[in-house]
């Protein structure tokens, strides 16, 4: 089943074209990895999916992204509705300067939920889903900055989970973390893919190989190859892909 | 080769010493001003009790027979003008800084920010003139007063004068917040306004407090405009529509008529000392707050 359809997508920052004619079908309840060298447009593509690129005033977009039969750029007048369904986790852990509880309940409060009991219940559930509950249950009221980097990033994932998204976008979520913290997040993502569609940008090819079902290899704003992760890494069809995964460049 | 090298070192030494002398001189001059203010002002207590000065409500040093030295009505005057100015400037200042930092397009901001900062460049005497000729008749008419020069109009004029400080410091604080806060909040489905309300304002709160303190410091010390529009009656004000005489205005009015070295002269320096202590404390506190704020989110 297809979750997001990307048709003839082109994207510019000012005059610089970053994405060139992207056509993709993102599958439901799978982990799709986006790999490619720095500056190839993978983060930009990810940010098109929840319209974070709207924040950049000089950007221009052409083509369509279809999610649930709706055009992401044309059919969502209120972009906050879209972002409640397509959540995002960023490269650097970015908790709010608030308590752990307030961080996890942030999206719920923004959605207008005021009932303390409901908030408590969902915060607990979400922390349990993200396997963070046992580590923080005794200090929900302490600052999110008191957590380690890895815990902060899992808190950011929890925060995104709390509003029960349908799709979750991760932009190099482990690049600032050590291998142990990375392993915990990878385990969590594999667990979560039964419930939601996950798209992850990663610099780390081993990570893509370990956790993803499908892999997209991008270069210079174009999709070079898109296939099952196994076949892409074992038997790449395109020479460019082969060069990249063999470490010839990148 | 040797000579050239030696010359270079000498030149550098000379320049360093010049800068050292200049900065030490500045500090010495400031210290000198403070010491002069302190030792002249403090002499007042030789003749008049602490209690009479700080708890007396009647200030009349030139009264025939028995002069009185109570500064309470002057302090209340300063208080009315300062608080009035803050009540006017805080909501307006914070709202403008939020608009500039978070809502306005870069082009609008580039135009508006210098324009607002230009208000700070208007000589206070000009604002005083505007107050006297345009605002005071308006206020007199509005409230049915015989004379529109009072605490209200002084508050308003001083409020305008401190607006640029509050706006530009608050805006700097908001702009310097990590953009990650903004992104994280929007990505969780919060609207722009929710992001401002739930994340950005709480994160910037102490810095905005510092901006307000800076404005407060300026409001306490403002003289010329206040002198022109406050009405300057020495009586104890009972409402904001009464004419008031803040400490600054009082010093400016009376310094012309005192004999150097007289008790009245010393008392005016005591008033100056009190003002200095207030503004000094306010400025130090605001510096500390703003410094803490700017360091808080440096990862």
């Amino acid at each position: 089943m297809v979750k997001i359809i990307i048709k003839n997508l082109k994207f510019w920052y000012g005059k610089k074209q970053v994405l060139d004619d992207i056509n993709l079908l993102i599958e439901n309840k799978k982990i799709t990895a986006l790999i490619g060298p720095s500056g190839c447009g993978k983060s930009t593509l990810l940010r098109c999916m929840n319209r974070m690129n709207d924040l950049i005033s000089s950007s221009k977009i052409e083509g369509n992204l279809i999610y649930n039969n709706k055009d992401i750029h044309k059919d969502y007048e209120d972009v906050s509705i879209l972002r409640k369904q397509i959540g995002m986790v960023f490269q650097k852990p970015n908790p709010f300067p608030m308590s752990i509880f307030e961080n996890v309940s942030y999206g719920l409060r923004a959605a207008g939920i005021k009932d303390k009991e409901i908030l408590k219940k969902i915060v607990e559930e979400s922390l349990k889903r993200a396997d963070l509950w046992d580590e923080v249950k005794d200090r929900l009221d302490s600052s999110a900055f008191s957590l380690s980097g890895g815990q902060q990033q899992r808190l950011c994932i929890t925060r995104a989970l709390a509003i029960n998204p349908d799709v979750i976008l991760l932009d190099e979520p482990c690049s600032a973390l050590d291998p142990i913290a990375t392993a915990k997040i990878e385990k969590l993502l594999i667990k979560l893919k039964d419930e939601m569609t996950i798209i992850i940008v990663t610099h780390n090819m081993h990570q893509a190989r370990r956790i993803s079902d499908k892999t997209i290899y991008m270069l210079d704003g174009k999709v070079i190859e898109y296939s099952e992760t196994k076949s892409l890494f074992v038997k790449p069809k395109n020479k460019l892909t082969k060069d990249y995964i063999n470490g010839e460049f990148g | 080769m040797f000579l050239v090298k030696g010359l270079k070192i000498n030149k550098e030494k000379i320049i360093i010493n010049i800068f050292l002398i200049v900065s030490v001189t500045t500090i010495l001059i400031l210290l000198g001003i403070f010491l002069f203010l302190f030792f002249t002002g403090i002499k007042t207590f030789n003749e008049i009790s602490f209690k009479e000065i700080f708890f007396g409500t009647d200030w009349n040093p030139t009264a025939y027979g028995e002069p009185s030295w109570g500064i309470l009505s002057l302090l209340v005057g300063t208080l009315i003008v300062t608080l009035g100015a803050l009540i006017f400037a805080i909501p307006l200042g914070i709202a403008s800084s939020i608009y500039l930092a978070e809502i306005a397009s870069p082009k609008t901001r580039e135009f508006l920010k210098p324009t607002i900062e230009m208000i700070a460049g208007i000589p206070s005497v000009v604002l005083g003139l505007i107050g006297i000729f345009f605002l005071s008749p308006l206020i007199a008419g509005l409230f049915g007063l015989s004379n529109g020069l009072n605490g209200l109009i002084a508050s308003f004029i001083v409020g305008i004068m401190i607006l640029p400080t509050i706006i530009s410091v608050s805006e700097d604080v908001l702009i310097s917040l990590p953009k990650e806060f903004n992104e994280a909040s929007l990505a969780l489905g919060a609207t722009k306004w929710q992001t401002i309300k739930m994340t950005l304002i709480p994160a910037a709160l102490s810095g905005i407090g510092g901006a307000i303190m800076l404005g407060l410091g300026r409001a306490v010390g403002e003289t010329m405009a206040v002198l022109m529009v406050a009405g300057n009656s020495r009586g104890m004000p009972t409402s904001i529509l009464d004419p008031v005489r803040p400490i600054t205005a009082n010093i400016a009015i009376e310094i012309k008529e005192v004999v150097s070295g007289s008790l009245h002269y010393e008392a005016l320096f005591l008033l100056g000392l009190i003002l200095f202590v207030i503004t000094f404390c306010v400025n130090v506190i605001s510096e500390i707050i703003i410094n803490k704020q700017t360091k808080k989110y440096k990862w």
Side-chain angles (χ1 to χ4, degrees):
Chain A
M1 209 184 103
V2 173
K3 193 85 225 177
I4 299 176
I5 304 167
I6 302 173
K7 274 198 293 203
N8 306 107
L9 183 70
K10 293 176 184 167
F11 189 89
W12 292 262
Y13 286 126
K15 279 185 183 149
K16 187 172 180 281
Q17 184 165 12
V18 188
L19 297 178
D20 186 8
D21 205 20
I22 307 276
N23 288 286
L24 289 169
L25 303 173
I26 306 285
E27 286 180 41
N28 190 25
K29 294 192 178 170
K30 292 219 164 129
I31 298 181
T32 304
L34 269 160
I35 61 167
S38 300
C40 70
K42 53 194 192 303
S43 287
T44 305
L45 176 60
L46 193 77
R47 282 164 167 263
C48 283
M49 297 185 212
N50 68 342
R51 282 177 58 182
M52 287 308 279
N53 286 328
D54 285 13
L55 300 179
I56 298 154
S57 52
S58 61
S59 62
K60 198 181 95 183
I61 191 158
E62 261 176 33
N64 308 85
L65 284 120
I66 312 292
Y67 165 69
N68 280 351
N69 295 323
K70 278 171 145 182
D71 189 306
I72 285 176
H73 286 86
K74 295 182 188 105
D75 297 336
Y76 284 91
E77 209 160 294
D78 183 359
V79 67
S80 66
I81 292 170
L82 173 77
R83 290 182 185 144
K84 280 181 183 108
Q85 292 170 301
I86 304 185
M88 185 166 218
V89 174
F90 298 84
Q91 188 168 357
K92 210 163 60 172
N94 57 354
F96 297 116
M98 305 170 189
S99 72
I100 294 169
F101 183 88
E102 286 169 317
N103 262 282
V104 180
S105 63
Y106 190 91
L108 301 165
R109 288 183 287 131
I113 299 174
K114 291 199 180 80
D115 191 318
K116 278 264 160 63
E117 291 308 311
I118 296 177
L119 289 177
K120 267 186 197 166
K121 196 172 141 260
I122 302 179
V123 166
E124 184 177 337
E125 276 172 15
S126 312
L127 283 164
K128 280 178 177 162
R129 266 172 96 186
D131 298 325
L132 195 58
W133 174 250
D134 290 330
E135 292 163 59
V136 302
K137 65 182 175 197
D138 301 322
R139 47 174 175 150
L140 291 177
D141 289 325
S142 46
S143 163
F145 290 132
S146 69
L147 299 173
S148 71
Q151 287 173 323
Q152 284 187 17
Q153 193 62 304
R154 280 188 287 146
L155 182 73
C156 293
I157 296 176
T158 313
R159 192 170 65 179
L161 289 179
I163 44 178
N164 220 355
D166 185 29
V167 179
I168 194 158
L169 311 171
L170 301 108
D171 191 356
E172 297 189 38
C174 302
S175 62
L177 306 180
D178 63 73
I180 295 168
T182 302
K184 281 186 182 158
I185 287 181
E186 288 178 2
K187 202 178 128 205
L188 172 61
L189 294 179
I190 290 168
K191 190 180 103 181
L192 286 173
K193 80 168 173 180
D194 295 337
E195 304 162 53
M196 59 190 71
T197 306
I198 296 171
I199 306 168
I200 180 171
V201 165
T202 177
H203 238 103
N204 181 339
M205 278 181 279
H206 300 291
Q207 181 170 59
R209 213 168 166 170
R210 279 194 299 266
I211 63 172
S212 70
D213 303 297
K214 308 270 280 188
T215 297
I216 301 165
Y217 171 60
M218 285 181 71
L219 184 65
D220 295 335
K222 293 190 184 80
V223 171
I224 304 296
E225 191 161 345
Y226 176 31
S227 56
E228 296 288 327
T229 299
K230 273 183 204 148
S231 68
L232 185 132
F233 280 100
V234 177
K235 248 188 174 170
K237 287 187 206 95
N238 194 305
K239 186 176 177 303
L240 289 167
T241 316
K242 197 176 165 189
D243 288 349
Y244 181 70
I245 59 177
N246 288 337
E248 306 267 333
F249 73 101
Chain B
M1 191 64 202
F2 250 109
L3 239 163
V4 174
K5 225 178 183 178
L7 255 176
K8 249 190 188 163
I9 291 171
N10 266 338
K11 221 177 168 183
E12 216 156 278
K13 265 190 183 164
I14 291 168
I15 292 171
I16 288 174
N17 281 323
I18 289 175
F19 277 104
L20 185 72
I21 291 167
V22 171
S23 53
V24 169
T25 314
T26 319
I27 293 170
L28 284 180
I29 290 173
L30 285 175
L31 196 69
I33 292 173
F34 173 73
L35 289 177
F36 177 70
L37 199 60
F38 183 79
F39 285 112
T40 314
I42 215 82
K43 278 190 208 154
T44 321
F45 292 117
N46 291 340
E47 290 177 57
I48 306 150
S49 73
F50 184 84
K51 196 182 144 206
E52 189 184 345
I53 293 174
F54 284 98
F55 296 99
T57 54
D58 191 25
W59 174 265
N60 196 355
T62 50
Y64 187 71
E66 211 163 297
S68 47
W69 304 91
I71 64 165
L72 216 52
S73 62
L74 306 179
L75 267 176
V76 170
T78 294
L79 203 70
I80 286 179
V81 173
T82 308
L83 287 185
L86 288 179
I87 289 170
F88 166 74
I90 288 173
L92 215 58
I94 294 179
S96 318
S97 66
I98 290 170
Y99 174 75
L100 281 179
E102 305 299 336
I103 300 166
S105 69
K107 264 191 186 159
T108 319
R109 174 167 53 236
E110 259 167 51
F111 169 73
L112 277 182
K113 207 180 175 196
T115 312
I116 287 170
E117 279 164 358
M118 249 169 53
I119 299 177
I122 301 176
S124 66
V125 70
V126 172
L127 284 173
L129 278 178
I130 293 172
I132 289 179
F133 291 114
F134 296 102
L135 295 176
S136 93
L138 210 72
I139 286 179
L142 210 61
F143 293 96
L145 306 167
S146 58
N147 177 349
L149 297 176
N150 55 28
L152 180 64
I153 182 171
S155 301
F156 182 72
I157 296 278
V158 174
I160 289 176
M161 299 179 70
I162 64 174
L163 256 182
T165 311
I166 295 182
I167 294 174
S168 109
V169 177
S170 306
E171 198 247 8
D172 286 344
V173 171
L174 284 168
I175 285 276
S176 66
L177 290 177
K179 73 173 197 326
E180 282 89 347
F181 290 167
N182 198 21
E183 281 190 335
S185 174
L186 293 174
L188 287 168
T191 61
K192 192 161 196 167
W193 169 237
Q194 283 175 327
T195 303
I196 292 171
K197 196 176 63 175
M198 291 171 69
T199 308
L200 304 180
I201 293 181
L205 205 56
S206 61
I208 292 174
I212 291 169
M213 293 293 277
L214 272 183
L216 194 157
R218 168 126 201 244
V220 170
E222 173 49 35
T223 309
M224 182 45 84
V226 165
L227 178 67
M228 292 168 77
V229 300
N232 298 319
S233 150
R234 279 189 300 224
M236 188 62 154
T238 51
S239 91
I240 196 163
L241 292 174
D242 280 348
V244 295
R245 183 191 277 211
I247 298 175
T248 48
N250 186 65
I251 297 173
I253 292 166
E254 293 180 1
I255 200 73
K256 292 168 286 188
E257 28 187 276
V258 298
V259 181
S260 171
S262 66
L263 178 60
H264 190 184
Y265 168 91
E266 288 163 5
L268 290 185
F269 273 96
L270 180 66
L271 286 177
L273 182 64
I274 293 168
L275 266 184
F276 176 82
V277 170
I278 297 174
T279 44
F280 182 77
C281 292
V282 167
N283 283 343
V284 167
I285 294 170
S286 53
E287 278 295 318
I288 293 173
I289 296 175
I290 292 172
N291 266 339
K292 261 195 186 158
Q293 166 78 39
T294 43
K295 279 184 196 142
K296 202 157 56 177
Y297 302 120
K298 282 214 174 105
W299 296 333

